PDB file of all heavy atoms in Angstrom:
ATOM      1  N   GLY A1303      42.439  30.888  26.413  1.00  0.00           N
ATOM      2  CA  GLY A1303      43.232  29.624  26.538  1.00  0.00           C
ATOM      3  C   GLY A1303      42.469  28.467  27.115  1.00  0.00           C
ATOM      4  O   GLY A1303      42.995  27.330  27.140  1.00  0.00           O
ATOM      5  N   GLY A1304      41.128  28.726  27.706  1.00  0.00           N
ATOM      6  CA  GLY A1304      40.452  27.621  28.182  1.00  0.00           C
ATOM      7  C   GLY A1304      40.031  26.659  27.148  1.00  0.00           C
ATOM      8  O   GLY A1304      40.010  26.961  26.007  1.00  0.00           O
ATOM      9  N   GLY A1305      39.497  25.471  27.573  1.00  0.00           N
ATOM     10  CA  GLY A1305      39.049  24.466  26.680  1.00  0.00           C
ATOM     11  C   GLY A1305      38.748  23.225  27.290  1.00  0.00           C
ATOM     12  O   GLY A1305      38.674  23.104  28.598  1.00  0.00           O
ATOM     13  N   LEU A1306      38.561  22.204  26.407  1.00  0.00           N
ATOM     14  CA  LEU A1306      38.223  20.837  26.922  1.00  0.00           C
ATOM     15  C   LEU A1306      39.531  20.015  26.689  1.00  0.00           C
ATOM     16  O   LEU A1306      39.998  19.926  25.639  1.00  0.00           O
ATOM     17  CB  LEU A1306      37.096  20.277  26.056  1.00  0.00           C
ATOM     18  CG  LEU A1306      36.684  18.790  26.377  1.00  0.00           C
ATOM     19  CD1 LEU A1306      36.259  18.545  27.760  1.00  0.00           C
ATOM     20  CD2 LEU A1306      35.636  18.347  25.482  1.00  0.00           C
ATOM     21  N   VAL A1307      39.898  19.369  27.767  1.00  0.00           N
ATOM     22  CA  VAL A1307      41.047  18.507  27.634  1.00  0.00           C
ATOM     23  C   VAL A1307      40.861  17.188  28.401  1.00  0.00           C
ATOM     24  O   VAL A1307      39.940  17.152  29.250  1.00  0.00           O
ATOM     25  CB  VAL A1307      42.306  19.139  28.096  1.00  0.00           C
ATOM     26  CG1 VAL A1307      42.751  20.373  27.348  1.00  0.00           C
ATOM     27  CG2 VAL A1307      42.216  19.423  29.673  1.00  0.00           C
ATOM     28  N   GLN A1308      41.638  16.127  28.053  1.00  0.00           N
ATOM     29  CA  GLN A1308      41.464  14.946  28.759  1.00  0.00           C
ATOM     30  C   GLN A1308      42.326  14.999  30.025  1.00  0.00           C
ATOM     31  O   GLN A1308      43.325  15.761  30.142  1.00  0.00           O
ATOM     32  CB  GLN A1308      41.970  13.704  27.919  1.00  0.00           C
ATOM     33  CG  GLN A1308      41.138  13.445  26.706  1.00  0.00           C
ATOM     34  CD  GLN A1308      41.515  12.266  25.978  1.00  0.00           C
ATOM     35  OE1 GLN A1308      41.887  11.192  26.543  1.00  0.00           O
ATOM     36  NE2 GLN A1308      41.645  12.389  24.589  1.00  0.00           N
ATOM     37  N   ALA A1309      42.003  14.142  31.016  1.00  0.00           N
ATOM     38  CA  ALA A1309      42.858  14.106  32.204  1.00  0.00           C
ATOM     39  C   ALA A1309      44.295  13.752  31.877  1.00  0.00           C
ATOM     40  O   ALA A1309      44.544  12.925  31.043  1.00  0.00           O
ATOM     41  CB  ALA A1309      42.250  12.989  33.210  1.00  0.00           C
ATOM     42  N   GLY A1310      45.189  14.399  32.492  1.00  0.00           N
ATOM     43  CA  GLY A1310      46.537  14.305  32.232  1.00  0.00           C
ATOM     44  C   GLY A1310      47.097  15.268  31.115  1.00  0.00           C
ATOM     45  O   GLY A1310      48.317  15.335  30.982  1.00  0.00           O
ATOM     46  N   GLY A1311      46.190  15.862  30.535  1.00  0.00           N
ATOM     47  CA  GLY A1311      46.649  16.823  29.506  1.00  0.00           C
ATOM     48  C   GLY A1311      47.028  18.180  30.109  1.00  0.00           C
ATOM     49  O   GLY A1311      47.167  18.392  31.292  1.00  0.00           O
ATOM     50  N   SER A1312      47.362  19.080  29.139  1.00  0.00           N
ATOM     51  CA  SER A1312      47.849  20.477  29.602  1.00  0.00           C
ATOM     52  C   SER A1312      47.104  21.536  28.883  1.00  0.00           C
ATOM     53  O   SER A1312      46.691  21.379  27.818  1.00  0.00           O
ATOM     54  CB  SER A1312      49.396  20.559  29.244  1.00  0.00           C
ATOM     55  OG  SER A1312      50.155  19.651  29.976  1.00  0.00           O
ATOM     56  N   LEU A1313      46.997  22.682  29.501  1.00  0.00           N
ATOM     57  CA  LEU A1313      46.519  24.031  28.940  1.00  0.00           C
ATOM     58  C   LEU A1313      47.340  25.073  29.450  1.00  0.00           C
ATOM     59  O   LEU A1313      47.897  25.017  30.649  1.00  0.00           O
ATOM     60  CB  LEU A1313      45.090  24.170  29.264  1.00  0.00           C
ATOM     61  CG  LEU A1313      43.967  23.380  28.542  1.00  0.00           C
ATOM     62  CD1 LEU A1313      42.605  23.637  29.135  1.00  0.00           C
ATOM     63  CD2 LEU A1313      43.956  23.745  27.082  1.00  0.00           C
ATOM     64  N   ARG A1314      47.381  26.217  28.696  1.00  0.00           N
ATOM     65  CA  ARG A1314      48.011  27.362  29.133  1.00  0.00           C
ATOM     66  C   ARG A1314      46.985  28.513  29.024  1.00  0.00           C
ATOM     67  O   ARG A1314      46.543  28.837  28.012  1.00  0.00           O
ATOM     68  CB  ARG A1314      49.243  27.722  28.388  1.00  0.00           C
ATOM     69  CG  ARG A1314      50.032  28.963  29.092  1.00  0.00           C
ATOM     70  CD  ARG A1314      51.340  29.254  28.418  1.00  0.00           C
ATOM     71  NE  ARG A1314      51.033  30.115  27.267  1.00  0.00           N
ATOM     72  CZ  ARG A1314      51.921  31.049  26.739  1.00  0.00           C
ATOM     73  NH1 ARG A1314      53.086  31.150  27.341  1.00  0.00           N
ATOM     74  NH2 ARG A1314      51.651  31.718  25.680  1.00  0.00           N
ATOM     75  N   LEU A1315      46.661  29.123  30.257  1.00  0.00           N
ATOM     76  CA  LEU A1315      45.719  30.255  30.241  1.00  0.00           C
ATOM     77  C   LEU A1315      46.517  31.509  30.090  1.00  0.00           C
ATOM     78  O   LEU A1315      47.613  31.637  30.647  1.00  0.00           O
ATOM     79  CB  LEU A1315      44.907  30.209  31.503  1.00  0.00           C
ATOM     80  CG  LEU A1315      44.085  28.902  31.831  1.00  0.00           C
ATOM     81  CD1 LEU A1315      43.294  29.105  33.114  1.00  0.00           C
ATOM     82  CD2 LEU A1315      43.268  28.495  30.626  1.00  0.00           C
ATOM     83  N   SER A1316      45.906  32.459  29.444  1.00  0.00           N
ATOM     84  CA  SER A1316      46.571  33.734  29.315  1.00  0.00           C
ATOM     85  C   SER A1316      45.666  34.848  29.790  1.00  0.00           C
ATOM     86  O   SER A1316      44.457  34.788  29.667  1.00  0.00           O
ATOM     87  CB  SER A1316      46.969  34.053  27.815  1.00  0.00           C
ATOM     88  OG  SER A1316      47.798  33.075  27.300  1.00  0.00           O
ATOM     89  N   CYS A1317      46.226  35.911  30.281  1.00  0.00           N
ATOM     90  CA  CYS A1317      45.467  37.048  30.714  1.00  0.00           C
ATOM     91  C   CYS A1317      46.190  38.276  30.325  1.00  0.00           C
ATOM     92  O   CYS A1317      47.361  38.528  30.775  1.00  0.00           O
ATOM     93  CB  CYS A1317      45.304  37.063  32.315  1.00  0.00           C
ATOM     94  SG  CYS A1317      44.610  38.449  32.978  1.00  0.00           S
ATOM     95  N   ALA A1318      45.588  39.115  29.524  1.00  0.00           N
ATOM     96  CA  ALA A1318      46.207  40.316  29.063  1.00  0.00           C
ATOM     97  C   ALA A1318      45.607  41.514  29.898  1.00  0.00           C
ATOM     98  O   ALA A1318      44.397  41.612  29.934  1.00  0.00           O
ATOM     99  CB  ALA A1318      45.876  40.595  27.579  1.00  0.00           C
ATOM    100  N   ALA A1319      46.455  42.384  30.373  1.00  0.00           N
ATOM    101  CA  ALA A1319      46.018  43.350  31.255  1.00  0.00           C
ATOM    102  C   ALA A1319      46.257  44.750  30.575  1.00  0.00           C
ATOM    103  O   ALA A1319      47.261  44.989  29.916  1.00  0.00           O
ATOM    104  CB  ALA A1319      46.847  43.363  32.585  1.00  0.00           C
ATOM    105  N   SER A1320      45.333  45.541  30.798  1.00  0.00           N
ATOM    106  CA  SER A1320      45.473  46.980  30.239  1.00  0.00           C
ATOM    107  C   SER A1320      46.262  47.800  31.277  1.00  0.00           C
ATOM    108  O   SER A1320      46.474  47.379  32.407  1.00  0.00           O
ATOM    109  CB  SER A1320      44.071  47.566  30.115  1.00  0.00           C
ATOM    110  OG  SER A1320      43.450  47.873  31.321  1.00  0.00           O
ATOM    111  N   GLY A1321      46.580  49.020  30.836  1.00  0.00           N
ATOM    112  CA  GLY A1321      47.388  49.876  31.652  1.00  0.00           C
ATOM    113  C   GLY A1321      48.857  50.026  31.420  1.00  0.00           C
ATOM    114  O   GLY A1321      49.420  49.060  30.779  1.00  0.00           O
ATOM    115  N   ASN A1322      49.445  51.101  31.802  1.00  0.00           N
ATOM    116  CA  ASN A1322      50.870  51.214  31.587  1.00  0.00           C
ATOM    117  C   ASN A1322      51.731  51.028  32.840  1.00  0.00           C
ATOM    118  O   ASN A1322      52.868  51.488  32.845  1.00  0.00           O
ATOM    119  CB  ASN A1322      51.173  52.573  31.002  1.00  0.00           C
ATOM    120  CG  ASN A1322      50.549  53.748  31.712  1.00  0.00           C
ATOM    121  OD1 ASN A1322      50.122  53.649  32.811  1.00  0.00           O
ATOM    122  ND2 ASN A1322      50.610  54.974  31.161  1.00  0.00           N
ATOM    123  N   THR A1323      51.111  50.600  33.874  1.00  0.00           N
ATOM    124  CA  THR A1323      51.769  50.382  35.087  1.00  0.00           C
ATOM    125  C   THR A1323      51.590  48.875  35.531  1.00  0.00           C
ATOM    126  O   THR A1323      51.495  48.613  36.772  1.00  0.00           O
ATOM    127  CB  THR A1323      51.185  51.372  36.336  1.00  0.00           C
ATOM    128  OG1 THR A1323      49.726  51.073  36.427  1.00  0.00           O
ATOM    129  CG2 THR A1323      51.517  52.748  35.969  1.00  0.00           C
ATOM    130  N   PHE A1324      51.649  48.021  34.651  1.00  0.00           N
ATOM    131  CA  PHE A1324      51.648  46.514  34.816  1.00  0.00           C
ATOM    132  C   PHE A1324      52.518  46.043  35.983  1.00  0.00           C
ATOM    133  O   PHE A1324      52.187  45.181  36.714  1.00  0.00           O
ATOM    134  CB  PHE A1324      51.761  45.772  33.526  1.00  0.00           C
ATOM    135  CG  PHE A1324      51.643  44.296  33.691  1.00  0.00           C
ATOM    136  CD1 PHE A1324      50.446  43.687  33.996  1.00  0.00           C
ATOM    137  CD2 PHE A1324      52.707  43.440  33.422  1.00  0.00           C
ATOM    138  CE1 PHE A1324      50.373  42.418  34.145  1.00  0.00           C
ATOM    139  CE2 PHE A1324      52.664  42.077  33.542  1.00  0.00           C
ATOM    140  CZ  PHE A1324      51.345  41.563  33.909  1.00  0.00           C
ATOM    141  N   ARG A1325      53.670  46.674  36.010  1.00  0.00           N
ATOM    142  CA  ARG A1325      54.729  46.152  36.991  1.00  0.00           C
ATOM    143  C   ARG A1325      54.258  46.427  38.427  1.00  0.00           C
ATOM    144  O   ARG A1325      54.839  45.888  39.312  1.00  0.00           O
ATOM    145  CB  ARG A1325      56.034  46.835  36.688  1.00  0.00           C
ATOM    146  CG  ARG A1325      56.790  46.318  35.568  1.00  0.00           C
ATOM    147  CD  ARG A1325      58.244  46.926  35.465  1.00  0.00           C
ATOM    148  NE  ARG A1325      58.975  46.239  34.404  1.00  0.00           N
ATOM    149  CZ  ARG A1325      59.759  45.157  34.564  1.00  0.00           C
ATOM    150  NH1 ARG A1325      59.897  44.652  35.733  1.00  0.00           N
ATOM    151  NH2 ARG A1325      60.422  44.721  33.460  1.00  0.00           N
ATOM    152  N   THR A1326      53.228  47.275  38.555  1.00  0.00           N
ATOM    153  CA  THR A1326      52.796  47.594  39.861  1.00  0.00           C
ATOM    154  C   THR A1326      51.635  46.650  40.328  1.00  0.00           C
ATOM    155  O   THR A1326      51.187  46.762  41.459  1.00  0.00           O
ATOM    156  CB  THR A1326      52.286  49.104  40.059  1.00  0.00           C
ATOM    157  OG1 THR A1326      51.139  49.234  39.284  1.00  0.00           O
ATOM    158  CG2 THR A1326      53.386  50.012  39.583  1.00  0.00           C
ATOM    159  N   TYR A1327      51.165  45.847  39.475  1.00  0.00           N
ATOM    160  CA  TYR A1327      50.062  44.871  39.662  1.00  0.00           C
ATOM    161  C   TYR A1327      50.532  43.654  40.285  1.00  0.00           C
ATOM    162  O   TYR A1327      51.389  42.940  39.756  1.00  0.00           O
ATOM    163  CB  TYR A1327      49.260  44.548  38.410  1.00  0.00           C
ATOM    164  CG  TYR A1327      48.826  45.651  37.585  1.00  0.00           C
ATOM    165  CD1 TYR A1327      48.266  45.428  36.362  1.00  0.00           C
ATOM    166  CD2 TYR A1327      48.761  47.001  37.982  1.00  0.00           C
ATOM    167  CE1 TYR A1327      47.893  46.428  35.429  1.00  0.00           C
ATOM    168  CE2 TYR A1327      48.358  48.110  37.224  1.00  0.00           C
ATOM    169  CZ  TYR A1327      47.886  47.719  35.950  1.00  0.00           C
ATOM    170  OH  TYR A1327      47.397  48.795  35.145  1.00  0.00           O
ATOM    171  N   ASN A1328      49.950  43.266  41.431  1.00  0.00           N
ATOM    172  CA  ASN A1328      49.999  41.913  41.920  1.00  0.00           C
ATOM    173  C   ASN A1328      48.965  41.102  41.124  1.00  0.00           C
ATOM    174  O   ASN A1328      47.818  41.511  40.992  1.00  0.00           O
ATOM    175  CB  ASN A1328      49.745  41.778  43.370  1.00  0.00           C
ATOM    176  CG  ASN A1328      50.631  42.561  44.222  1.00  0.00           C
ATOM    177  OD1 ASN A1328      51.876  42.088  44.267  1.00  0.00           O
ATOM    178  ND2 ASN A1328      50.258  43.725  44.856  1.00  0.00           N
ATOM    179  N   MET A1329      49.326  40.021  40.559  1.00  0.00           N
ATOM    180  CA  MET A1329      48.531  39.182  39.668  1.00  0.00           C
ATOM    181  C   MET A1329      48.232  37.838  40.243  1.00  0.00           C
ATOM    182  O   MET A1329      49.048  37.315  41.020  1.00  0.00           O
ATOM    183  CB  MET A1329      49.110  39.104  38.294  1.00  0.00           C
ATOM    184  CG  MET A1329      49.390  40.475  37.615  1.00  0.00           C
ATOM    185  SD  MET A1329      47.879  41.387  37.248  1.00  0.00           S
ATOM    186  CE  MET A1329      47.036  40.354  36.190  1.00  0.00           C
ATOM    187  N   GLY A1330      47.077  37.260  39.833  1.00  0.00           N
ATOM    188  CA  GLY A1330      46.792  35.972  40.331  1.00  0.00           C
ATOM    189  C   GLY A1330      45.741  35.308  39.553  1.00  0.00           C
ATOM    190  O   GLY A1330      45.183  35.818  38.519  1.00  0.00           O
ATOM    191  N   TRP A1331      45.455  33.984  39.834  1.00  0.00           N
ATOM    192  CA  TRP A1331      44.379  33.228  39.287  1.00  0.00           C
ATOM    193  C   TRP A1331      43.541  32.575  40.303  1.00  0.00           C
ATOM    194  O   TRP A1331      44.026  32.131  41.335  1.00  0.00           O
ATOM    195  CB  TRP A1331      44.980  32.158  38.407  1.00  0.00           C
ATOM    196  CG  TRP A1331      45.662  32.610  37.072  1.00  0.00           C
ATOM    197  CD1 TRP A1331      46.986  32.892  36.906  1.00  0.00           C
ATOM    198  CD2 TRP A1331      44.985  32.772  35.889  1.00  0.00           C
ATOM    199  NE1 TRP A1331      47.187  33.309  35.622  1.00  0.00           N
ATOM    200  CE2 TRP A1331      45.950  33.186  34.904  1.00  0.00           C
ATOM    201  CE3 TRP A1331      43.637  32.731  35.364  1.00  0.00           C
ATOM    202  CZ2 TRP A1331      45.663  33.509  33.653  1.00  0.00           C
ATOM    203  CZ3 TRP A1331      43.452  32.984  34.108  1.00  0.00           C
ATOM    204  CH2 TRP A1331      44.389  33.415  33.169  1.00  0.00           C
ATOM    205  N   PHE A1332      42.258  32.629  40.126  1.00  0.00           N
ATOM    206  CA  PHE A1332      41.277  32.035  40.944  1.00  0.00           C
ATOM    207  C   PHE A1332      40.421  31.076  40.062  1.00  0.00           C
ATOM    208  O   PHE A1332      40.351  31.293  38.831  1.00  0.00           O
ATOM    209  CB  PHE A1332      40.424  33.085  41.730  1.00  0.00           C
ATOM    210  CG  PHE A1332      41.158  33.788  42.743  1.00  0.00           C
ATOM    211  CD1 PHE A1332      42.024  34.806  42.458  1.00  0.00           C
ATOM    212  CD2 PHE A1332      40.760  33.560  44.076  1.00  0.00           C
ATOM    213  CE1 PHE A1332      42.690  35.495  43.360  1.00  0.00           C
ATOM    214  CE2 PHE A1332      41.404  34.319  45.062  1.00  0.00           C
ATOM    215  CZ  PHE A1332      42.385  35.269  44.760  1.00  0.00           C
ATOM    216  N   ARG A1333      39.679  30.243  40.646  1.00  0.00           N
ATOM    217  CA  ARG A1333      38.811  29.403  39.938  1.00  0.00           C
ATOM    218  C   ARG A1333      37.472  29.145  40.673  1.00  0.00           C
ATOM    219  O   ARG A1333      37.544  29.322  41.933  1.00  0.00           O
ATOM    220  CB  ARG A1333      39.401  28.037  39.534  1.00  0.00           C
ATOM    221  CG  ARG A1333      39.767  27.132  40.705  1.00  0.00           C
ATOM    222  CD  ARG A1333      40.474  25.970  40.226  1.00  0.00           C
ATOM    223  NE  ARG A1333      40.812  25.097  41.311  1.00  0.00           N
ATOM    224  CZ  ARG A1333      41.597  23.913  41.135  1.00  0.00           C
ATOM    225  NH1 ARG A1333      42.098  23.546  39.956  1.00  0.00           N
ATOM    226  NH2 ARG A1333      41.770  23.136  42.178  1.00  0.00           N
ATOM    227  N   GLN A1334      36.493  28.812  39.946  1.00  0.00           N
ATOM    228  CA  GLN A1334      35.172  28.672  40.662  1.00  0.00           C
ATOM    229  C   GLN A1334      34.415  27.592  39.892  1.00  0.00           C
ATOM    230  O   GLN A1334      34.235  27.656  38.678  1.00  0.00           O
ATOM    231  CB  GLN A1334      34.322  29.908  40.646  1.00  0.00           C
ATOM    232  CG  GLN A1334      33.063  29.972  41.407  1.00  0.00           C
ATOM    233  CD  GLN A1334      32.542  31.331  41.651  1.00  0.00           C
ATOM    234  OE1 GLN A1334      32.740  32.260  40.822  1.00  0.00           O
ATOM    235  NE2 GLN A1334      31.751  31.445  42.691  1.00  0.00           N
ATOM    236  N   ARG A1335      33.881  26.673  40.673  1.00  0.00           N
ATOM    237  CA  ARG A1335      33.004  25.572  40.162  1.00  0.00           C
ATOM    238  C   ARG A1335      31.575  25.947  40.503  1.00  0.00           C
ATOM    239  O   ARG A1335      31.313  26.633  41.472  1.00  0.00           O
ATOM    240  CB  ARG A1335      33.358  24.243  40.785  1.00  0.00           C
ATOM    241  CG  ARG A1335      34.770  23.835  40.540  1.00  0.00           C
ATOM    242  CD  ARG A1335      35.120  22.493  40.970  1.00  0.00           C
ATOM    243  NE  ARG A1335      34.496  21.558  40.070  1.00  0.00           N
ATOM    244  CZ  ARG A1335      34.670  20.179  40.142  1.00  0.00           C
ATOM    245  NH1 ARG A1335      35.489  19.620  41.108  1.00  0.00           N
ATOM    246  NH2 ARG A1335      34.060  19.315  39.290  1.00  0.00           N
ATOM    247  N   PRO A1336      30.588  25.508  39.660  1.00  0.00           N
ATOM    248  CA  PRO A1336      29.205  25.843  39.964  1.00  0.00           C
ATOM    249  C   PRO A1336      28.793  25.462  41.356  1.00  0.00           C
ATOM    250  O   PRO A1336      29.049  24.419  41.891  1.00  0.00           O
ATOM    251  CB  PRO A1336      28.417  25.034  38.906  1.00  0.00           C
ATOM    252  CG  PRO A1336      29.404  24.808  37.810  1.00  0.00           C
ATOM    253  CD  PRO A1336      30.727  24.631  38.526  1.00  0.00           C
ATOM    254  N   GLY A1337      28.145  26.505  41.952  1.00  0.00           N
ATOM    255  CA  GLY A1337      27.649  26.252  43.330  1.00  0.00           C
ATOM    256  C   GLY A1337      28.704  26.341  44.463  1.00  0.00           C
ATOM    257  O   GLY A1337      28.444  26.155  45.621  1.00  0.00           O
ATOM    258  N   LYS A1338      29.911  26.625  44.051  1.00  0.00           N
ATOM    259  CA  LYS A1338      31.041  26.750  45.050  1.00  0.00           C
ATOM    260  C   LYS A1338      31.574  28.207  44.997  1.00  0.00           C
ATOM    261  O   LYS A1338      31.407  28.945  44.116  1.00  0.00           O
ATOM    262  CB  LYS A1338      32.192  25.809  44.566  1.00  0.00           C
ATOM    263  CG  LYS A1338      31.802  24.319  44.548  1.00  0.00           C
ATOM    264  CD  LYS A1338      31.438  23.807  45.912  1.00  0.00           C
ATOM    265  CE  LYS A1338      31.101  22.308  45.924  1.00  0.00           C
ATOM    266  NZ  LYS A1338      30.848  21.679  47.162  1.00  0.00           N
ATOM    267  N   GLU A1339      32.283  28.450  46.111  1.00  0.00           N
ATOM    268  CA  GLU A1339      32.906  29.754  46.262  1.00  0.00           C
ATOM    269  C   GLU A1339      34.151  29.785  45.452  1.00  0.00           C
ATOM    270  O   GLU A1339      34.761  28.785  45.013  1.00  0.00           O
ATOM    271  CB  GLU A1339      33.374  29.982  47.728  1.00  0.00           C
ATOM    272  CG  GLU A1339      32.123  30.090  48.728  1.00  0.00           C
ATOM    273  CD  GLU A1339      32.628  30.452  50.099  1.00  0.00           C
ATOM    274  OE1 GLU A1339      33.749  30.338  50.456  1.00  0.00           O
ATOM    275  OE2 GLU A1339      31.650  30.899  50.940  1.00  0.00           O
ATOM    276  N   ARG A1340      34.541  31.113  45.044  1.00  0.00           N
ATOM    277  CA  ARG A1340      35.777  31.114  44.288  1.00  0.00           C
ATOM    278  C   ARG A1340      36.986  30.787  45.111  1.00  0.00           C
ATOM    279  O   ARG A1340      37.085  31.174  46.292  1.00  0.00           O
ATOM    280  CB  ARG A1340      35.880  32.599  43.836  1.00  0.00           C
ATOM    281  CG  ARG A1340      36.962  32.935  42.778  1.00  0.00           C
ATOM    282  CD  ARG A1340      36.735  34.217  42.153  1.00  0.00           C
ATOM    283  NE  ARG A1340      35.483  34.276  41.341  1.00  0.00           N
ATOM    284  CZ  ARG A1340      35.113  35.304  40.611  1.00  0.00           C
ATOM    285  NH1 ARG A1340      35.916  36.428  40.570  1.00  0.00           N
ATOM    286  NH2 ARG A1340      34.024  35.317  39.897  1.00  0.00           N
ATOM    287  N   GLU A1341      37.889  30.048  44.536  1.00  0.00           N
ATOM    288  CA  GLU A1341      38.980  29.461  45.082  1.00  0.00           C
ATOM    289  C   GLU A1341      40.336  29.950  44.572  1.00  0.00           C
ATOM    290  O   GLU A1341      40.533  30.154  43.445  1.00  0.00           O
ATOM    291  CB  GLU A1341      38.957  27.938  44.899  1.00  0.00           C
ATOM    292  CG  GLU A1341      40.216  27.154  45.364  1.00  0.00           C
ATOM    293  CD  GLU A1341      40.142  25.649  44.873  1.00  0.00           C
ATOM    294  OE1 GLU A1341      39.311  25.351  44.129  1.00  0.00           O
ATOM    295  OE2 GLU A1341      41.109  24.924  45.256  1.00  0.00           O
TER     296      GLU A1341
END
């Protein structure tokens, strides 16, 4: 779902997880810019 967009635009990222116990997973999103720590 990533890509190039203009400021003010929208994107939807998707993450497909394996396993049959998905309901037991705490899920999240992080991001990282070059030279920076993961946020």
Side-chain angles (χ1 to χ4, degrees):
L1306 174 64
V1307 298
Q1308 296 183 42
S1312 298
L1313 282 175
R1314 190 179 79 153
L1315 306 184
S1316 299
C1317 172
S1320 67
N1322 56 10
T1323 57
F1324 180 65
R1325 283 186 176 270
T1326 70
Y1327 306 168
N1328 297 291
M1329 302 297 299
W1331 289 94
F1332 290 71
R1333 65 187 182 185
Q1334 188 168 24
R1335 304 187 70 175
K1338 301 293 184 179
E1339 294 183 347
R1340 192 163 294 185
E1341 173 191 4

